Amino acid sequence: MYRAAVIGLGRMGSTFDDEIQQGGSIFLPYCHAPSYVASPLTELVAGADLHTEQGAIFGERWGLSAQHIYSDYRDMLAAERPDFVSICTTARHRAAIMKDAIEAGVKAIWAEKPITLSLAEADDVIDLGARNGVAIAVNCSRRYSPFLSEARRMAQEGELGDLLQITAYTECFISHNGSHAIDTMRYLVDGDVDWVFGEMESDEEAAGEEDLRGNGYLAFENGVRGYIRAMPTGTAPWEFDLIGTEGRVRSLANGTDTQYYRWVPGGLRDEGLPARAPFPLPLSIQGTGLSVIADLVNAVETGSDPRCSAEDGRKALEIAIALRESHRRGGRRVDLPVADRSLRILSVEIGGDAVPARVRRLRQEPVVA
């Protein structure tokens, strides 16, 4: 059993699961603390947060005494010596905390996305982690979806024929939740992106470093072409469409419906028709967080990469930056890897991050009737 600790004791670190009222693309336990508590592979031993309110809520929720709740994560790393550490803080400080955790001797890191704000930060974290043999997983959690994993298997084993296209309808900011969208595209086609064209929501937005929405065309090294719409998507919320010469898989309505189409005899001049066929359903569904933990344990014990590794996180950020750079250059093609490693996107989550939203709410003066 591995000793686990969480840095950043807000929603994703602790209480996100308590908000979930119905099924969909999320299977519980999902976020960090409840997953460590539920997993037979880990023991939750400590938490750290600058804000005492969040520390108190975390300790009460997960049965940890005050002596195991820290205001300084460095004190926690030194005193508790965790094997696994989750980093659920604002992205503004994620790179520095990951480096401190690596140097403190942790075996594995489960980090929220995006991995960092800049490519240079991501490079430094990945290099340091590799030198110290630390497994790093980035929480682009759709890689652990049983339905998307089955679609990827079908593609890899030729059931869809030659892959042609992956389309994503995912209204989002291209660095923040764009990490999920871009990573899922890479995962489904099992390939890296060679070059992109990008169109951002405006010239003004593209000129700055703030997170932004946009659309893009992705050319994968294996010949697949990708389209991402991160601007408003209307009645297509968080959908993926994987098309091959012999079959097609569509993940609809944020993962609540998965459709499979293949050729059947018939049609004009009997040239065949695409018809819906049963999609292979799993016999059981494990909580997403439990799958991440099992994957990390496997990475620690075998030396393999996690299913969504730090390198995958870096590539999602790099593709987002390349899409913005394409717009900046008048819609020109941008090749990867991006040469200027100082480029960054200030993930939308860092807005107002000095004090978390929950803490701001708790600190409000009570309303007097």
Side-chain angles (χ1 to χ4, degrees):
M1 184 173 287
Y2 292 91
R3 294 167 51 80
V6 179
I7 301 172
L9 308 181
R11 293 175 70 242
M12 283 309 298
S14 179
T15 56
F16 180 85
D17 290 18
D18 296 337
E19 304 171 16
I20 304 303
Q21 300 297 317
Q22 62 183 20
S25 60
I26 289 175
F27 302 100
L28 305 182
Y30 179 78
C31 73
H32 298 253
S35 298
Y36 287 132
V37 169
S39 174
L41 304 173
T42 53
E43 176 190 9
L44 181 65
V45 298
D49 197 293
L50 287 171
H51 306 283
T52 56
E53 297 95 329
Q54 297 210 133
I57 292 170
F58 186 85
E60 181 178 359
R61 180 68 179 83
W62 304 112
L64 294 177
S65 65
Q67 71 185 85
H68 296 293
I69 305 298
Y70 298 79
S71 60
D72 190 321
Y73 71 89
R74 289 160 293 199
D75 293 339
M76 183 195 75
L77 291 171
E80 302 285 350
R81 307 297 296 175
D83 302 304
F84 286 19
V85 64
S86 282
I87 301 175
C88 308
T89 65
T90 168
R92 190 187 303 277
H93 305 299
R94 195 164 294 143
I97 296 173
M98 282 195 283
K99 288 191 283 188
D100 286 342
I102 292 168
E103 291 175 342
V106 302
K107 294 181 173 69
I109 292 172
W110 180 8
E112 275 303 314
K113 57 30 163 162
I115 183 172
T116 56
L117 299 181
S118 74
L119 294 175
E121 288 176 332
D123 294 342
D124 289 345
V125 167
I126 290 172
D127 289 347
L128 184 63
R131 290 199 303 272
N132 288 271
V134 177
I136 303 175
V138 177
N139 202 31
C140 290
S141 55
R142 282 172 174 79
R143 283 188 179 240
Y144 298 92
S145 160
F147 307 109
L148 294 176
S149 295
E150 178 64 16
R152 173 183 159 99
R153 182 203 63 76
M154 295 168 72
Q156 288 180 319
E157 296 184 6
E159 295 179 30
L160 306 184
D162 296 329
L163 289 185
L164 303 173
Q165 180 175 312
I166 174 69
T167 304
Y169 303 96
T170 54
E171 181 179 353
C172 61
F173 291 87
I174 62 172
S175 175
H176 180 48
N177 279 339
S179 299
H180 284 302
I182 293 168
D183 184 71
T184 301
M185 296 174 75
R186 290 186 58 247
Y187 177 65
L188 287 173
V189 306
D190 193 20
D192 286 323
V193 174
D194 276 342
W195 52 268
V196 305
F197 290 119
E199 173 212 7
M200 300 296 102
E201 54 190 310
S202 71
D203 292 342
E204 292 74 21
E205 293 289 339
E209 292 188 320
E210 302 297 322
D211 215 345
L212 70 171
R213 296 179 176 88
N215 303 322
Y217 178 89
L218 283 59
F220 288 86
E221 61 182 3
N222 57 9
V224 178
R225 292 300 182 257
Y227 301 84
I228 179 171
R229 180 175 179 87
M231 291 185 188
T233 59
T235 55
W238 278 86
E239 298 187 352
F240 297 92
D241 192 357
L242 181 62
I243 300 174
T245 56
E246 302 299 325
R248 176 183 189 180
V249 176
R250 302 174 69 205
S251 174
L252 305 178
N254 200 12
T256 59
D257 184 21
T258 305
Q259 300 179 353
Y260 170 43
Y261 295 85
R262 65 187 181 196
W263 289 112
V264 298
L268 185 65
R269 294 187 296 275
D270 202 31
E271 293 174 347
L273 289 170
R276 187 170 176 180
F279 182 80
L281 296 176
L283 293 174
S284 62
I285 297 176
Q286 180 171 252
T288 303
L290 298 182
S291 296
V292 175
I293 291 171
D295 184 41
L296 265 178
V297 169
N298 179 68
V300 168
E301 295 182 354
T302 68
S304 60
D305 290 329
R307 189 179 302 184
C308 188
S309 66
E311 177 62 20
D312 293 314
R314 174 168 62 182
K315 287 181 177 178
L317 175 63
E318 188 166 35
I319 291 166
I321 287 173
L323 291 170
R324 186 194 62 190
E325 287 302 296
S326 174
H327 186 111
R328 286 179 172 181
R329 300 176 193 180
R332 293 184 179 180
R333 163 177 160 168
V334 172
D335 294 327
L336 280 78
V338 173
D340 184 354
R341 309 306 287 180
S342 70
L343 291 173
R344 64 180 187 168
I345 294 178
L346 302 179
S347 174
V348 68
E349 71 178 72
I350 72 173
D353 61 354
V355 180
R358 179 166 66 185
V359 174
R360 292 197 298 269
R361 290 193 297 270
L362 291 171
R363 292 178 180 178
Q364 287 179 349
E365 293 294 328
V367 177
V368 178

